Amino acid sequence: MTTAPTTPGAGPDDGPCPPLAASDAEAQRWLDAALAEAAGRAPGWQLRFAEAGRRCGPSDTPRVRLLCAARPEAAETARLYHQGTAAERRAVLLALDTLDPGPADGLPLVEDALRANDTTLVAAALGPYAARHLAPHAWRHAVLKCLFTGVPVTTIARLADRADGDGELARMLRDYAAERTAAGRPVPDDLHHVLALTGH
């Protein structure tokens, strides 16, 4: 099952993300130093971004905090995404809400992730940034992709707000439910939940 991590704040002690566990004191020291490098835009901070998984474990939090501290320009953000591993791409997606690039720069990253087979990328793409900027047609298809792939719709930011009153989304959901039923397949519970949110 896919879960979406909380997006951290911009500095070493900012935002909702706590420090690493006390047992990871060495990793915390490394992260504190890496965050200072990123905030100062020191040469090599991108290398810290790449090695954060090895230094701090599998959590997305350290990489997202490094991005939020560095505040890279849109072109640099895109380069980190396209040249990165799946974990690095996920961190970029999770940081978009804080970095807030213009839609012309940020939406192509979201759209690329929504085409991926990696459900963790799909879940990370549907954060607050996508909720603000994704066009209705693309957003509806993203909701359906979550239903196709088993990504919990609870990972979709502002789902209730955007689904409210969306008759076209309701039609698409009913069509999908009818297809599943005709094929003898169960209709996901999440579909009924989203359909109820549309009010149709």
Side-chain angles (χ1 to χ4, degrees):
M1 189 163 108
T2 304
T3 57
T6 303
T7 300
D13 299 308
D14 295 335
C17 288
L20 300 175
S23 59
D24 296 329
E26 183 177 349
Q28 184 65 57
R29 285 193 297 272
W30 179 90
L31 180 58
D32 289 343
L35 285 166
E37 286 185 35
R41 302 287 296 166
W45 79 265
Q46 293 183 7
L47 296 176
R48 306 293 171 262
F49 176 76
E51 67 178 319
R54 179 167 58 83
R55 294 284 193 164
C56 299
S59 171
D60 294 316
T61 295
R63 283 196 177 99
V64 178
R65 292 183 70 185
L66 286 168
L67 287 169
C68 294
R71 299 278 180 164
E73 296 293 331
E76 189 176 12
T77 301
R79 186 166 59 253
L80 288 170
Y81 176 85
H82 288 297
Q83 295 180 358
T85 64
E88 290 162 19
R89 291 183 176 203
R90 193 166 58 242
V92 170
L93 295 166
L94 291 170
L96 285 179
D97 185 47
T98 299
L99 300 178
D100 200 24
D105 296 309
L107 278 179
L109 308 184
V110 171
E111 291 162 353
D112 180 82
L114 291 175
R115 291 190 293 269
N117 293 324
D118 185 337
T119 56
T120 68
L121 292 179
V122 174
L126 289 172
Y129 183 86
R132 287 199 304 277
H133 296 296
L134 207 57
H137 178 77
W139 184 81
R140 292 180 191 119
H141 280 276
V143 173
L144 284 178
K145 177 148 188 177
C146 288
L147 297 173
F148 297 157
T149 60
V151 174
V153 297
T154 53
T155 65
I156 303 174
R158 291 183 51 206
L159 173 64
D161 291 342
R162 291 206 57 167
D164 185 27
D166 193 334
E168 177 61 14
L169 177 61
R171 182 195 66 76
M172 293 168 69
L173 292 170
R174 289 195 179 95
D175 287 349
Y176 179 53
E179 290 173 9
R180 298 278 299 184
T181 300
R185 297 174 181 171
V187 176
D189 289 341
D190 274 356
L191 186 148
H192 298 297
H193 172 65
V194 179
L195 187 58
L197 292 176
T198 69
H200 286 270

